[in-house]
Amino acid sequence: MSGKRALITGITGQDGAYLARHLLELGYTVFGASRRSSGDSTGRLKELGIADDIRALKVEMCEYSNIRRALIECEPDEVYNFAAQSFVAESFAQPLYTSDVNGLGATRLLESVREVAPHIRVYQASTSEMFGNSGARGGLDESSPFRPMSPYAVSKLYSHQMIGLYREAYGMHCSSGILFNHESPLRGVEFITRKISDGVVAIQRGHRDRIMLGNLNAERDWGAAPEYVVAMHAMLQKDTPGDYVVATGISHSVRDFANFAFQAVGVQLEWYGEGVDEVGVDSANGAIRIAVDPKYFRPADIERLRGNPARARAELGWQPKMTVPELAAWMVETDMRRAEVGTI
Ligand code: NAP
Ligand code: F7E
């Protein structure tokens, strides 16, 4: 058992829940920071059965003073900064807020660590979105150029570079995981994979007839969130901090993901038409199950993201295991079980 103490910001999100479970299993004392909410935001922690094992505290990333106090109160060995406005589409509607939480929020944390206890090891949740369309042809790695395509990506590039700066300037143990999309049944329902798994279940249960989506051609390198948190922890155990791409090395289109999700309930889709007229049709009865609504198009989108996790494999001993068809089936089956017992 490690006996170490970790502070996780964004504990109520997908990654916060899975990392907390992983660290608890390793014997950590886990402090979970969440912002004030008018309701209960611990649903994911409850679903993993760990809500009572987390030492909860309130931290708003726009407020420097409470970040500093949290560090003094928790005395962590490691801090994992997950708190973010993480929905890319929303960042076009809220560019200033997104920059404040994601960009300045991380800097407030770094500055607090530097002032309070610079020996604390820091993990920053960086993202493949920073690459933009720079990797159309090959696998993106730690040396690929950054060309952010959304306010979210710009905000994350700022915090990513601050992490590098605090490492260089102050010798602090700061690492960034450049994580490609990772999903699970705990994914927020506005993200494409969960929107599809949730929609497949609603259609199967007769509550709706189709799912309306945006850019069906977009390709992402999707992996399984519980596997990715293992790489995050491994980064902070290295003597030397650094940046690591965490990805599977395989990309699929949104259309492919829909095919896999419907196959999980025995439905084969056939695709007809192009652009806004494209539809995915149930081959057994001709019913339209996927259609396009331009309101889900983004002002700018990344057409294709595929990572090269060679460094994580070599230096962290990390390997992805779950395939995208398995991931889609896991998400659909979990949403189906939740619907049957009435939890969604
Ligand atoms: P998520 O489910 O959206 O969780 C984000 C967390 O941040 C939530 O706990 C949220 O709290 C909290 N938060 C938002 N604004 C805040 C604020 N102003 N102050 C304090 N907390 C705030 O995201 P995730 O998928 O777990 O991702 C974790 C981190 O990794 C994020 O930084 C994300 O940008 C980054 N990332 C994710 C992926 C991915 O594929 N999942 C890939 C690369 C990087 P509420 O519950 O109150 O909303
Ligand atoms: O979109 C397309 C959309 O919202 C994936 C965040 O965790 O991963 C996530 O960002 C793709 C995009 O994730 C719909 O245009 C089509 O091309 O699931 P998403 P994201 O934008 O890739 C990165 C790595 C992060 O860091 C972020 O925090 O799917 N798409 N139709 C759609 N997307 C959504 N959400 N909804 C649609 O209807």
Side-chain angles (χ1 to χ4, degrees), residues 3 8 12 14 18-19 46 63 95 97 102 121 125 128 133 138 175 212 235 248 276 279 283 296:
I8 302 174
T12 57
Q14 169 188 262
Y18 283 119
L19 179 71
K46 288 192 174 124
E63 172 71 40
Y97 175 71
N102 301 3
R121 297 185 174 198
S128 51
N133 281 317
S175 295
M212 304 301 294
M235 285 175 217
T248 69
V276 292
V279 286
S283 65
Y296 296 114

Side-chain angles (χ1 to χ4, degrees), residues 8-250:
I8 302 174
T9 71
I11 188 76
T12 57
Q14 169 188 262
D15 290 3
Y18 283 119
L19 179 71
R21 182 177 69 178
H22 181 55
L23 296 183
L24 287 167
E25 284 167 359
L26 294 172
Y28 278 63
T29 301
V30 177
F31 296 87
S34 62
R35 58 180 163 173
R36 186 205 162 263
S37 160
S38 62
D40 181 9
S41 58
T42 60
R44 294 183 172 99
L45 301 172
K46 288 192 174 124
E47 192 159 341
L48 296 187
I50 57 171
D52 294 338
D53 302 322
I54 309 287
R55 302 199 188 187
L57 67 157
K58 291 285 164 233
V59 173
E60 162 56 62
M61 295 306 290
C62 296
E63 172 71 40
Y64 175 77
S65 64
N66 69 169
I67 299 174
R68 196 172 192 280
R69 272 197 307 279
L71 293 173
I72 292 168
E73 183 184 328
C74 304
E75 297 184 37
D77 301 289
E78 299 167 6
V79 176
Y80 296 85
N81 185 34
F82 293 162
Q85 193 302 93
S86 74
F87 191 34
V88 174
E90 190 61 24
S91 77
F92 288 99
Q94 300 189 16
L96 300 177
Y97 175 71
T98 301
S99 302
D100 196 347
V101 178
N102 301 3
L104 295 180
T107 310
R108 292 181 188 103
L109 174 65
L110 282 168
E111 194 54 14
S112 306
V113 169
R114 186 179 75 81
E115 284 188 0
V116 169
H119 65 271
I120 295 172
R121 297 185 174 198
V122 180
Y123 173 86
Q124 170 62 19
S126 290
T127 168
S128 51
E129 286 290 304
M130 300 185 305
F131 292 121
N133 281 317
S134 74
R137 283 191 302 278
L140 293 153
D141 64 21
E142 295 78 6
S143 59
S144 300
F146 295 127
R147 298 199 186 113
M149 295 275 286
S150 65
Y152 169 80
V154 173
S155 73
K156 283 286 186 173
L157 181 53
Y158 170 83
S159 49
H160 179 75
Q161 295 194 324
M162 276 294 177
I163 283 279
L165 178 68
Y166 273 65
R167 191 163 62 212
E168 292 299 320
Y170 303 118
M172 285 166 51
H173 197 295
C174 302
S175 295
S176 280
I178 307 176
L179 268 61
F180 284 62
N181 301 51
H182 46 282
E183 317 293 315
S184 75
L186 298 187
R187 189 59 142 146
V189 81
E190 71 270 35
F191 296 95
I192 189 72
T193 56
R194 183 79 199 295
K195 181 174 174 179
I196 292 173
S197 69
D198 179 70
V200 167
V201 170
I203 290 169
Q204 283 300 104
R205 291 172 62 83
H207 298 317
R208 29 195 293 216
D209 69 339
R210 67 187 65 177
I211 311 170
M212 304 301 294
L213 300 179
N215 180 5
L216 301 173
N217 295 320
E219 291 181 32
R220 290 292 183 274
D221 179 333
W222 281 296
E227 295 177 4
Y228 283 38
V229 300
V230 175
M232 301 172 187
H233 172 255
M235 285 175 217
L236 294 204
Q237 310 318 304
K238 300 285 291 179
D239 290 339
T240 310
D243 300 332
Y244 292 88
V245 161
V246 180
T248 69
I250 300 168

